[in-house]
């Protein structure tokens, strides 16, 4: 005797509550993410400071420059803007060109001047002060005058 197959596909489950829960979790974790830390490079080890405190509100029109030790050459430092890296003193002209682009963007899109922009410097604790001065001088050549320095606060 041959067995006959059923014409139905078996039990079905409603996936709507599962999809609803996934979207709620996604929204929950998106709200909790701190995007301010997303632009920080792990190679930059900030110096510790007792008097430093975090800013009370975000800095408008800010460009973050990170000065980090180069991965292959420990005694040389590079400047990072976002994902772009400028290697040591030989790339300071390229750095100025990138800063000029940032200034041009703020002038055309936001109708502000370079004087309204702030450069946030995140400097590795072992960086020679001479290199930091050259980076600041390069920023000043691009008409940028406002600077903010970041450090790590000591916990007592």
């Amino acid at each position: 005797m041959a067995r006959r197959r059923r014409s139905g596909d078996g039990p079905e489950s409603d996936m709507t509550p599962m999809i609803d829960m996934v979207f709620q979790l996604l929204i929950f974790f998106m709200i909790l993410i701190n995007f301010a830390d997303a632009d920080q490079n792990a190679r930059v080890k900030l110096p510790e400071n007792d008097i430093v405190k975090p800013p009370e509100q975000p800095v408008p029109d800010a460009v973050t420059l990170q000065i980090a030790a180069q991965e292959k050459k420990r005694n040389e430092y590079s400047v990072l803007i976002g994902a772009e890296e400028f290697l040591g003193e030989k790339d300071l002209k390229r750095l100025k060109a990138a800063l000029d682009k940032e200034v041009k963007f703020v002038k055309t899109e936001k109708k502000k001047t370079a004087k309204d922009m702030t450069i946030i410097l995140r400097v590795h604790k072992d960086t020679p002060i001479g290199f930091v001065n050259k980076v600041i001088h390069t920023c000043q050549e691009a008409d940028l005058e406002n600077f903010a320095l970041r450090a790590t606060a000591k916990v007592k």
Side-chain angles (χ1 to χ4, degrees), residues 87-121:
L87 302 173
E89 294 180 25
K90 63 183 177 185
D91 271 356
L92 289 179
K93 288 182 182 179
R94 275 188 47 224
L95 174 63
K96 184 183 179 309
L99 290 171
D100 287 337
K101 271 199 246 179
E102 294 284 338
V103 169
K104 183 178 178 183
F105 173 78
V106 168
K107 283 181 179 178
T108 58
E109 296 296 321
K110 297 187 177 185
K111 307 295 186 220
K112 294 185 177 182
T113 66
K115 311 257 188 268
D116 298 324
M117 296 175 65
T118 301
I119 297 293
I120 298 174
L121 287 173

Side-chain angles (χ1 to χ4, degrees), residues 41-47 67-68 122-126 152:
N41 193 303
R43 294 187 328 198
V44 179
K45 304 291 184 223
L46 296 176
I67 301 177
R122 296 187 74 245
V123 182
H124 190 278
K125 62 182 180 179
D126 297 330
T152 302

Side-chain angles (χ1 to χ4, degrees), residues 3-151:
R3 290 188 179 179
R4 297 175 86 188
R5 289 190 168 196
R6 289 187 191 174
S7 62
D9 282 347
E12 291 184 20
S13 61
D14 186 14
M15 293 299 290
T16 306
M18 177 85 68
I19 293 170
D20 184 43
M21 181 60 85
V22 168
F23 281 124
Q24 287 180 13
L25 285 172
L26 181 67
I27 292 169
F28 175 75
F29 286 114
M30 284 178 62
I31 291 171
L32 290 180
I33 290 177
N34 185 359
F35 289 106
D37 294 336
D39 63 346
Q40 298 178 3
N41 193 303
R43 294 187 328 198
V44 179
K45 304 291 184 223
L46 296 176
E48 293 184 356
N49 191 336
D50 288 328
I51 59 173
V52 75
K53 68 177 189 174
E56 295 177 10
Q57 59 189 17
V59 180
D61 301 318
V63 177
T64 302
L65 296 182
Q66 302 183 73
I67 301 177
Q70 292 183 16
E71 291 180 352
K72 296 179 181 175
K73 300 175 183 176
R74 289 292 171 195
N75 292 332
E76 293 190 25
Y77 294 85
S78 56
V79 181
L80 300 120
I81 300 178
E84 196 170 358
E85 185 170 3
F86 305 93
L87 302 173
E89 294 180 25
K90 63 183 177 185
D91 271 356
L92 289 179
K93 288 182 182 179
R94 275 188 47 224
L95 174 63
K96 184 183 179 309
L99 290 171
D100 287 337
K101 271 199 246 179
E102 294 284 338
V103 169
K104 183 178 178 183
F105 173 78
V106 168
K107 283 181 179 178
T108 58
E109 296 296 321
K110 297 187 177 185
K111 307 295 186 220
K112 294 185 177 182
T113 66
K115 311 257 188 268
D116 298 324
M117 296 175 65
T118 301
I119 297 293
I120 298 174
L121 287 173
R122 296 187 74 245
V123 182
H124 190 278
K125 62 182 180 179
D126 297 330
T127 306
I129 193 67
F131 183 68
V132 177
N133 283 338
K134 289 178 183 177
V135 171
I136 290 173
H137 182 69
T138 304
C139 294
Q140 289 172 337
E141 287 176 352
D143 294 331
L144 298 166
E145 296 178 353
N146 299 323
F147 294 91
L149 186 62
R150 296 290 183 251

